[in-house]
mmCIF file with all atom_site columns, all heavy atoms in Angstrom:
data_model
loop_
_atom_site.group_PDB
_atom_site.id
_atom_site.type_symbol
_atom_site.label_atom_id
_atom_site.label_alt_id
_atom_site.label_comp_id
_atom_site.label_asym_id
_atom_site.label_entity_id
_atom_site.label_seq_id
_atom_site.pdbx_PDB_ins_code
_atom_site.Cartn_x
_atom_site.Cartn_y
_atom_site.Cartn_z
_atom_site.occupancy
_atom_site.B_iso_or_equiv
_atom_site.pdbx_formal_charge
_atom_site.auth_seq_id
_atom_site.auth_comp_id
_atom_site.auth_asym_id
_atom_site.auth_atom_id
_atom_site.pdbx_PDB_model_num
ATOM 1  N N   . HIS A 1 189 ? -55.670 42.645 163.322 1.00 0.00 ? 431 HIS A N   1
ATOM 2  C CA  . HIS A 1 189 ? -54.681 42.930 162.275 1.00 0.00 ? 431 HIS A CA  1
ATOM 3  C C   . HIS A 1 189 ? -54.864 44.487 161.980 1.00 0.00 ? 431 HIS A C   1
ATOM 4  O O   . HIS A 1 189 ? -55.922 45.061 161.990 1.00 0.00 ? 431 HIS A O   1
ATOM 5  C CB  . HIS A 1 189 ? -54.951 42.292 160.996 1.00 0.00 ? 431 HIS A CB  1
ATOM 6  C CG  . HIS A 1 189 ? -53.898 42.474 159.932 1.00 0.00 ? 431 HIS A CG  1
ATOM 7  N ND1 . HIS A 1 189 ? -54.100 43.409 158.993 1.00 0.00 ? 431 HIS A ND1 1
ATOM 8  C CD2 . HIS A 1 189 ? -52.662 41.973 159.739 1.00 0.00 ? 431 HIS A CD2 1
ATOM 9  C CE1 . HIS A 1 189 ? -53.040 43.438 158.192 1.00 0.00 ? 431 HIS A CE1 1
ATOM 10 N NE2 . HIS A 1 189 ? -52.182 42.529 158.612 1.00 0.00 ? 431 HIS A NE2 1
ATOM 11 N N   . ALA A 1 190 ? -53.794 45.101 161.697 1.00 0.00 ? 432 ALA A N   1
ATOM 12 C CA  . ALA A 1 190 ? -53.802 46.607 161.356 1.00 0.00 ? 432 ALA A CA  1
ATOM 13 C C   . ALA A 1 190 ? -53.511 46.777 159.841 1.00 0.00 ? 432 ALA A C   1
ATOM 14 O O   . ALA A 1 190 ? -52.390 46.458 159.549 1.00 0.00 ? 432 ALA A O   1
ATOM 15 C CB  . ALA A 1 190 ? -52.948 47.431 162.322 1.00 0.00 ? 432 ALA A CB  1
ATOM 16 N N   . PRO A 1 191 ? -54.414 47.395 159.167 1.00 0.00 ? 433 PRO A N   1
ATOM 17 C CA  . PRO A 1 191 ? -55.724 47.727 159.509 1.00 0.00 ? 433 PRO A CA  1
ATOM 18 C C   . PRO A 1 191 ? -56.758 46.570 159.603 1.00 0.00 ? 433 PRO A C   1
ATOM 19 O O   . PRO A 1 191 ? -56.322 45.489 159.177 1.00 0.00 ? 433 PRO A O   1
ATOM 20 C CB  . PRO A 1 191 ? -56.207 48.717 158.291 1.00 0.00 ? 433 PRO A CB  1
ATOM 21 C CG  . PRO A 1 191 ? -55.422 48.138 157.216 1.00 0.00 ? 433 PRO A CG  1
ATOM 22 C CD  . PRO A 1 191 ? -54.088 47.691 157.742 1.00 0.00 ? 433 PRO A CD  1
ATOM 23 N N   . ASN A 1 192 ? -57.806 46.696 160.168 1.00 0.00 ? 434 ASN A N   1
ATOM 24 C CA  . ASN A 1 192 ? -58.763 45.737 160.572 1.00 0.00 ? 434 ASN A CA  1
ATOM 25 C C   . ASN A 1 192 ? -59.218 44.922 159.305 1.00 0.00 ? 434 ASN A C   1
ATOM 26 O O   . ASN A 1 192 ? -59.904 45.389 158.436 1.00 0.00 ? 434 ASN A O   1
ATOM 27 C CB  . ASN A 1 192 ? -59.871 46.269 161.286 1.00 0.00 ? 434 ASN A CB  1
ATOM 28 C CG  . ASN A 1 192 ? -60.833 45.267 161.880 1.00 0.00 ? 434 ASN A CG  1
ATOM 29 O OD1 . ASN A 1 192 ? -60.939 44.056 161.305 1.00 0.00 ? 434 ASN A OD1 1
ATOM 30 N ND2 . ASN A 1 192 ? -61.447 45.470 163.051 1.00 0.00 ? 434 ASN A ND2 1
ATOM 31 N N   . ASP A 1 193 ? -58.909 43.676 159.235 1.00 0.00 ? 435 ASP A N   1
ATOM 32 C CA  . ASP A 1 193 ? -59.325 42.796 158.055 1.00 0.00 ? 435 ASP A CA  1
ATOM 33 C C   . ASP A 1 193 ? -60.786 42.428 157.928 1.00 0.00 ? 435 ASP A C   1
ATOM 34 O O   . ASP A 1 193 ? -61.190 41.941 157.031 1.00 0.00 ? 435 ASP A O   1
ATOM 35 C CB  . ASP A 1 193 ? -58.501 41.516 158.084 1.00 0.00 ? 435 ASP A CB  1
ATOM 36 C CG  . ASP A 1 193 ? -57.068 41.701 157.497 1.00 0.00 ? 435 ASP A CG  1
ATOM 37 O OD1 . ASP A 1 193 ? -56.773 42.799 157.107 1.00 0.00 ? 435 ASP A OD1 1
ATOM 38 O OD2 . ASP A 1 193 ? -56.313 40.760 157.507 1.00 0.00 ? 435 ASP A OD2 1
ATOM 39 N N   . MET A 1 194 ? -61.565 42.753 159.055 1.00 0.00 ? 436 MET A N   1
ATOM 40 C CA  . MET A 1 194 ? -62.951 42.451 159.068 1.00 0.00 ? 436 MET A CA  1
ATOM 41 C C   . MET A 1 194 ? -63.670 43.264 157.888 1.00 0.00 ? 436 MET A C   1
ATOM 42 O O   . MET A 1 194 ? -64.792 42.881 157.537 1.00 0.00 ? 436 MET A O   1
ATOM 43 C CB  . MET A 1 194 ? -63.584 42.740 160.313 1.00 0.00 ? 436 MET A CB  1
ATOM 44 C CG  . MET A 1 194 ? -63.047 41.885 161.509 1.00 0.00 ? 436 MET A CG  1
ATOM 45 S SD  . MET A 1 194 ? -63.531 40.118 161.364 1.00 0.00 ? 436 MET A SD  1
ATOM 46 C CE  . MET A 1 194 ? -65.248 40.151 161.801 1.00 0.00 ? 436 MET A CE  1
#
Side-chain angles (χ1 to χ4, degrees):
H431 185 266
N434 189 327
D435 278 358
M436 296 294 283

